[in-house]
């Protein structure tokens, strides 16, 4: 649906390389233009201010996910019926199944294993003195722990990473990046949907539990591969980017690292602040199930809205001095994990992984000397492909 009368227009492709390299000035321009801005190049209405994004996320009856959360029709059609792309009551049923092992009480069981692995890894890297914050540090826990928990430990690291990046690339507009990624998503679907997948899963693993739920009649058997994708797709690059962003921010702001080293209980807040300032998920879309009035403009039902979490997290209406990295800021209500009914199902695991690494890093590292970061261009995610680091040992 095109612009409504009186609506501000922003004639920039929000999925172009140029915007992906530095989206923040564009987000600022959108916030200044109005509460809901028409993007003619993407065929979307952009919502970029904090209060409006959060209100939309908290109103799934109007801002629906059931028609998909991508910025293109093809993926919105093929992805319907996943946890991410569904509304109640289906969403509640699917989410209950996948969220069970990701709840804090269930994670207590695996927390010691994650902490031990984090200590082993950080000790090894700090002894080495220099490493890559993405491939050596940030990728390790998501790749080893998550694939093991899902029950697919023997599958190739490179396939997993390719599939994870593709999962998000196809959720943008159908540009060249998304077209290439579609092939990878099809490969992932074929692998997870194959007849032999159940026999490959370790007994008691998260994947195995999904099939057990189908045996009990809690979910249709054909949905099992889809639910497995809910673990693999969104759990890797998100956490990897968030972890590497922490190193980047602490490398750029050594005084903030000193604050955390001297007061490790600041770690959870530092993680929130980094997710606020450099949100790995820039935004998803919603489909209007009814007319919605945003900032005085009524957008008709059937329109598609782009909710920009990464912009909301820098909205000057909400945050004082929003571009400053401040580990003491009260940042816990950022939208980096979304909000409302679709709020990230894996946030406790992501926090656990990042906390485990930081707890050892504060003991062992006095400071990070960072080299030139290499950006990973992804239609939906923001993060690094590489970040050379040399550490000063504590
Ligand atoms: C720092 C790391 C992470 C970030 C920034 C992140 C971000 C997000 C965001 C913004 C959403 C909301 C989607 C929406 O509004 O439609 C979401 C949903 C989701 N995330 Fe995460 N995520 C992270 C880690 C993880 C992990 C580790 C897992 C799984 C093990 C995971 C699984 C999911 C699932 C299944 C959903 C869909 C929930 C639903 O629709 O009810 N995420 N995530």
């Amino acid at each position: 649906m095109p612009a409504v009368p009186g609506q501000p227009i922003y004639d920039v492709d929000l999925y172009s390389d140029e915007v992906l390299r530095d989206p923040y000035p564009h987000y600022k321009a959108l916030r200044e233009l109005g509460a809901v801005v028409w993007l003619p190049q993407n065929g979307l209405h952009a919502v970029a201010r904090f209060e409006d994004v959060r209100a939309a996320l908290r109103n799934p009856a109007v801002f629906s996910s059931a028609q998909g959360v991508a910025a293109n029709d093809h993926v919105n059609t093929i992805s319907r019926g996943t946890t991410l792309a569904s509304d109640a009551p289906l969403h509640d049923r699917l989410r209950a199944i996948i969220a069970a092992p990701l709840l804090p009480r269930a994670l207590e069981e695996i927390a010691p294993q994650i902490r031990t692995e984090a200590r082993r890894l950080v000790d090894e890297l700090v002894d080495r003195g220099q490493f890559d914050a993405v491939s050596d540090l940030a990728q390790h826990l998501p790749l080893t722990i998550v694939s093991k928990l899902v029950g697919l430990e023997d599958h190739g690291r490179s396939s997993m990473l390719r599939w994870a990046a593709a999962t998000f690339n196809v959720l943008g507009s159908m540009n060249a990046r998304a077209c290439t990624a579609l092939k990878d998503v099809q490969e992932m679907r074929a692998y997870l949907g194959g007849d032999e997948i159940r026999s490959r899963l370790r007994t008691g693993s998260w994947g195995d539990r999904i099939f057990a739920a189908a045996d009990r009649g809690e979910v249709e058997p054909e949905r099992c591969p889809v639910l497995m994708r809910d673990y693999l797709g969104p759990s890797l690059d998100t956490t990897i980017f968030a972890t590497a962003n922490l190193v980047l921010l602490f490398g750029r702001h050594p005084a903030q690292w000193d604050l955390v080293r001297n007061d490790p209980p600041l770690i959870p807040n530092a993680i929130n602040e980094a997710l606020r300032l450099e949100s790995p998920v820039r935004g998803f879309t919603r489909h209007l199930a009814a007319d919605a009035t945003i900032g005085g403009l009524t957008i008709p039902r059937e329109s598609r809205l782009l909710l920009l979490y990464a912009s909301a997290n820098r909205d000057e209406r909400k945050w004082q001095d929003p571009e400053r990295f401040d580990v003491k800021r009260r940042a816990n209500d950022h939208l980096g994990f979304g909000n409302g009914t679709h709020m990230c199902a894996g946030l406790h695991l992501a926090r656990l992984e990042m906390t485990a690494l930081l707890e050892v890093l504060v003991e062992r590292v006095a400071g990070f000397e960072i080299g030139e970061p290499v950006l990973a261009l992804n239609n939906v995610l923001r993060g690094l492909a590489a970040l050379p680091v040399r550490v000063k040992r504590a």
Side-chain angles (χ1 to χ4, degrees), residues 184-330:
D184 291 327
V185 167
Q186 274 148 8
E187 189 186 300
M188 179 185 193
R189 285 177 171 223
Y191 174 73
L192 294 177
D195 292 337
E196 72 292 1
I197 191 71
R198 188 168 189 178
S199 61
R200 287 199 194 153
L201 292 168
R202 187 171 42 79
T203 312
S205 63
W206 296 353
D208 185 52
R209 286 194 220 177
I210 292 176
F211 283 94
D215 292 343
R216 292 192 300 272
E218 290 167 23
V219 65
E220 301 81 348
E222 61 274 17
R223 281 200 205 275
C224 293
V226 176
L227 293 180
M228 300 254 302
R229 294 210 302 270
D230 277 340
Y231 288 135
L232 292 174
S235 66
L236 299 178
D237 276 2
T238 49
T239 318
I240 292 167
F241 287 169
T243 306
N245 284 341
L246 276 161
V247 178
L248 178 73
L249 288 167
F250 284 127
R252 284 183 177 161
H253 305 280
Q256 297 294 314
W257 181 240
D258 290 342
L259 285 174
V260 179
R261 281 185 66 219
N262 293 330
D263 187 10
L266 277 176
I267 288 175
N269 202 55
I271 291 173
N272 278 330
E273 172 66 350
L275 287 166
R276 180 195 70 79
L277 191 62
E278 286 291 352
S279 308
V281 177
R282 296 200 321 278
F284 283 131
T285 71
R286 294 293 190 265
H287 184 255
L288 283 188
D291 291 358
T293 301
I294 306 168
L297 274 184
T298 300
I299 308 297
R301 67 189 285 269
E302 306 286 327
S303 301
R304 191 162 281 282
L305 267 63
L306 173 61
L307 306 181
L308 288 163
Y309 312 150
S311 168
N313 283 338
R314 288 186 178 217
D315 183 359
E316 34 299 282
R317 290 156 197 79
K318 160 77 180 167
W319 312 98
Q320 217 180 12
D321 203 357
E323 299 192 359
R324 192 159 54 88
F325 178 54
D326 173 3
V327 294
K328 291 194 161 178
R329 183 197 297 275
R330 278 179 56 85

Side-chain angles (χ1 to χ4, degrees), residues 2-275:
V4 302
Q7 186 177 14
I9 294 174
Y10 195 60
D11 195 11
V12 170
D13 172 8
L14 280 203
Y15 297 96
S16 64
D17 287 10
E18 187 238 316
V19 173
L20 298 196
R21 281 202 193 93
D22 187 12
Y24 300 116
H26 298 280
Y27 295 161
K28 192 170 173 32
L30 286 168
R31 290 194 300 271
E32 274 166 17
L33 275 170
V36 54
V37 178
W38 174 243
L39 300 174
Q41 297 201 33
N42 301 121
L44 298 166
H45 299 272
V47 181
R49 296 178 183 167
F50 182 89
E51 288 298 340
D52 302 315
V53 173
R54 188 170 62 178
L57 291 173
R58 289 180 173 179
N59 186 4
V62 174
F63 298 85
S64 163
S65 295
Q67 312 296 318
V69 297
N72 71 82
D73 293 340
H74 176 63
V75 170
N76 282 328
T77 306
I78 62 170
S79 65
R80 282 180 205 161
T82 60
T83 312
L84 191 65
S86 55
D87 288 338
L90 174 64
H91 173 258
D92 301 351
R93 194 153 59 82
L94 301 181
R95 173 129 181 165
I97 293 168
I98 59 144
L102 296 168
L103 295 174
R105 176 122 8 120
L107 289 176
E108 270 170 29
E109 246 176 71
I110 56 166
Q113 196 188 327
I114 291 182
R115 288 195 194 104
T116 306
E117 192 55 22
R119 181 163 292 280
R120 191 202 59 71
L121 176 72
V122 171
D123 279 343
E124 182 197 312
L125 295 178
V126 173
D127 290 345
R128 222 201 276 171
Q130 61 187 65
F131 55 88
D132 188 275
V134 181
S135 55
D136 296 325
L137 178 76
Q139 286 179 354
H140 183 78
L141 289 179
L143 272 175
T144 52
I145 302 275
V146 175
S147 348
K148 199 166 168 187
L149 291 170
V150 173
L152 289 170
E153 52 246 74
D154 59 348
H155 204 74
R157 184 181 165 115
S158 59
S159 304
M160 289 280 184
L161 284 174
R162 202 161 35 83
W163 294 344
T167 303
F168 284 95
N169 266 327
V170 299
L171 293 172
S173 70
M174 199 33 84
N175 54 17
R177 230 184 320 276
C179 291
T180 310
L182 264 180
K183 293 191 200 86
D184 291 327
V185 167
Q186 274 148 8
E187 189 186 300
M188 179 185 193
R189 285 177 171 223
Y191 174 73
L192 294 177
D195 292 337
E196 72 292 1
I197 191 71
R198 188 168 189 178
S199 61
R200 287 199 194 153
L201 292 168
R202 187 171 42 79
T203 312
S205 63
W206 296 353
D208 185 52
R209 286 194 220 177
I210 292 176
F211 283 94
D215 292 343
R216 292 192 300 272
E218 290 167 23
V219 65
E220 301 81 348
E222 61 274 17
R223 281 200 205 275
C224 293
V226 176
L227 293 180
M228 300 254 302
R229 294 210 302 270
D230 277 340
Y231 288 135
L232 292 174
S235 66
L236 299 178
D237 276 2
T238 49
T239 318
I240 292 167
F241 287 169
T243 306
N245 284 341
L246 276 161
V247 178
L248 178 73
L249 288 167
F250 284 127
R252 284 183 177 161
H253 305 280
Q256 297 294 314
W257 181 240
D258 290 342
L259 285 174
V260 179
R261 281 185 66 219
N262 293 330
D263 187 10
L266 277 176
I267 288 175
N269 202 55
I271 291 173
N272 278 330
E273 172 66 350
L275 287 166

